[in-house]
């Protein structure tokens, strides 16, 4: 049995603040096959690596008096958010910020590294991966485009920006995976001829943000039906459902997976990834929790279900644990 691609989700955020150079370097050192940067955009059109465009939960922006007046409220993907937003700053301004652990109550060890590292641009991470490649270590970027339809409303064409960035950094033509919770951006990347494997991220419920205005649009759940997968097979190379979809918990929260969507997708030539493997009780299905939310629960048993699911890729926050559980077999062709 081949194993899945092991993807360092935002680097190794179980140990270092997410999306920092230190987080990515640690994930690579621990043996991942790929790392996942989330990208947003600055006011001057620079692709910046952040989990969300709102900055206060993962940076020290609130401590900068020179930016106090930029705190505002915005409606993004159908919800109101209050804070400081990447698209209101130039890259030079964003470069003055420092990264912080997003969930310090769960990960105090990671929070001990707060305020040490600056934000990264996508090109910075691609250069880091080039450095590792030159030393004989090939690591794949799995790039998640955040809030593409929202940024389009702000005047930023994320497909064009990303396509241009890959070309200018020498990554066009090399193995790159691009993912999004919005199908529209993936279709546009395909139409542009962007050389990448395209993966549609799927929540366990709800409607994609680019389809909120269309009452006839498919929900995420409907995209995972045979009919939905038939459509997706014409536009993308894979899907990436929330791990709870793969685990298929019963009414008591017990994992009964793998869910039928894995086999259905494979029948249509689609790769199947899942997100996100985390050992803390806060993120495990209830039957696998064994203590306080920040404590590690019975993560091995939960992940064992995923390891038997025939997946092509798994996202992990703790790179060493991911390699330990999922890295015991040769990697599959789909990974």
């Amino acid at each position: 049995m081949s194993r899945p691609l092991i993807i360092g989700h935002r680097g190794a955020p179980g140990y270092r603040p997410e999306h920092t150079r230190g987080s990515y370097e640690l994930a690579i050192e621990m043996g991942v096959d790929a790392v996942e940067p989330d990208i947003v955009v600055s006011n001057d059109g620079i692709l910046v690596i952040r989990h969300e465009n709102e900055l206060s939960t993962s940076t020290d922006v609130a401590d900068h008096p020179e930016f106090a007046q930029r705190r505002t409220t915005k409606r993004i993907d159908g919800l109101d958010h209050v804070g400081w937003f990447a698209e209101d700053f130039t890259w030079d301004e964003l470069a003055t910020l420092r990264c912080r652990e997003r969930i310090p109550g769960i990960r105090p060890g990671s929070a001990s590294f707060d305020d040490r590292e600056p934000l990264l641009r996508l090109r910075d991470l691609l250069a880091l991966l080039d450095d590792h490649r030159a030393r004989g270590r090939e690591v794949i970027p799995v790039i998640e485009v955040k809030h593409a339809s929202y940024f389009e409303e702000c005047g930023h064409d994320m497909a064009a920006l990303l396509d241009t960035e890959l070309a200018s950094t020498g990554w066009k033509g090399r193995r790159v995976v691009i993912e999004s919770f919005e199908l529209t951006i993936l279709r546009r990347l395909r139409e542009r001829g962007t050389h990448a494997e395209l993966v549609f991220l799927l929540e366990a419920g709800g409607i994609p943000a680019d389809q909120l205005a269309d009452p006839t649009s498919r929900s995420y759940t409907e995209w995972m039906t045979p009919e939905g997968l038939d459509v997706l097979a014409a536009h993308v190379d894979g899907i990436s459902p929330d791990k709870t979809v793969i685990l298929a918990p019963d009414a008591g929260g017990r994992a009964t997976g793998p869910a039928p969507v894995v086999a259905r997708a494979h029948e249509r030539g689609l790769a199947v990834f899942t997100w996100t493997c985390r050992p803390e009780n806060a993120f495990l299905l209830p039957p696998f929790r064994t203590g306080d939310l920040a404590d590690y629960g019975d993560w091995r048993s939960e992940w064992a279900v995923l390891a038997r699911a025939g997946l092509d890729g798994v996202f992990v926050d703790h790179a060493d644990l991911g390699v330990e559980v999922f890295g015991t077999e040769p990697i599959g062709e789909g990974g």
Side-chain angles (χ1 to χ4, degrees):
M1 179 178 175
S2 62
R3 68 170 177 84
L5 191 77
I6 302 168
I7 306 162
H9 182 239
R10 312 174 201 166
Y15 306 111
R16 299 288 188 276
E18 63 190 29
H19 292 318
T20 58
R21 181 177 294 272
S23 184
Y24 289 118
E25 290 279 18
L26 183 59
I28 294 168
E29 177 185 327
M30 288 178 166
V32 298
D33 306 302
V35 290
E36 186 238 19
D38 299 309
I39 56 170
V40 298
V41 65
S42 67
N43 180 265
D44 49 347
I46 302 298
L47 295 178
V48 179
I49 300 179
R50 283 289 89 194
H51 175 245
E52 299 292 347
N53 55 331
E54 202 289 299
L55 302 167
S56 64
T57 59
S58 64
T59 77
D60 64 348
V61 65
D63 295 342
H64 286 251
E66 68 273 25
F67 300 141
Q69 296 304 311
R70 298 196 202 178
R71 187 172 187 269
T72 187
T73 300
K74 297 193 178 193
R75 192 162 186 82
I76 303 166
D77 299 348
L79 297 173
D80 289 333
H81 298 268
V82 179
W84 290 260
F85 297 86
E87 64 272 18
D88 295 334
F89 293 76
T90 65
W91 166 248
D92 285 346
E93 291 172 328
L94 291 173
T96 67
L97 305 181
R98 293 297 177 267
C99 299
R100 289 181 175 173
E101 170 54 47
R102 191 169 52 85
I103 46 174
I106 301 293
R107 294 174 175 169
S110 174
S112 69
F113 292 88
D114 281 359
D115 300 337
R116 298 188 187 186
E117 296 195 62
L119 278 65
L120 297 175
R121 299 165 296 183
L122 178 59
R123 66 188 65 166
D124 298 323
L125 177 60
L126 295 177
L128 183 153
L129 298 184
D130 282 334
D131 289 342
H132 281 278
R133 186 187 193 207
R135 300 198 297 271
R137 179 79 162 85
E138 189 81 40
V139 180
I140 300 162
V142 179
I143 303 166
E144 181 181 345
V145 182
K146 308 291 288 195
H147 311 304
S149 57
Y150 165 78
F151 284 129
E152 183 176 9
E153 294 172 2
C154 298
H156 298 288
D157 183 338
M158 295 296 280
L161 289 171
L162 182 51
D163 191 56
T164 299
E165 188 91 325
L166 293 174
S168 66
T169 55
W171 276 84
K172 198 163 185 176
R174 294 164 62 182
R175 188 177 182 194
V176 175
V177 179
I178 301 174
E179 55 181 4
S180 178
F181 285 101
E182 301 178 39
L183 187 57
T184 302
I185 179 69
L186 299 176
R187 284 172 165 165
R188 289 181 178 172
L189 287 163
R190 176 63 50 84
E191 290 166 0
R192 291 184 65 89
T194 302
H195 184 93
E197 298 165 37
L198 304 178
V199 174
F200 187 32
L201 290 159
L202 296 158
E203 297 272 12
I207 298 174
D210 55 338
Q211 300 298 312
L212 288 174
D214 181 1
T216 66
S217 64
R218 285 185 174 89
S219 67
Y220 283 117
T221 301
E222 290 169 325
W223 277 118
M224 288 183 271
T225 64
E227 295 76 16
L229 292 170
D230 284 341
V231 175
L232 289 178
H235 298 287
V236 299
D237 303 292
I239 61 171
S240 185
D242 182 325
K243 71 169 183 176
T244 59
V245 173
I246 307 299
L247 293 168
D250 62 18
R254 291 175 292 272
T256 62
V261 68
V262 179
R264 288 175 187 165
H266 284 160
E267 288 168 1
R268 290 157 176 82
L270 293 167
V272 184
F273 294 2
T274 198
W275 50 276
T276 302
C277 293
R278 296 170 168 132
E280 296 100 342
N281 286 305
F283 306 111
L284 298 174
L285 290 183
F288 300 110
R289 297 174 189 165
T290 60
D292 293 336
L293 292 181
D295 294 338
Y296 286 12
D298 185 14
W299 56 274
R300 292 179 186 276
S301 294
E302 184 188 88
W303 295 13
V305 179
L306 298 174
R308 295 191 297 268
L311 297 166
D312 301 287
V314 292
F315 291 84
V316 299
D317 276 10
H318 298 67
D320 55 338
L321 304 184
V323 171
E324 177 185 335
V325 171
F326 299 106
T328 57
E329 301 289 341
I331 196 165
E333 290 185 10

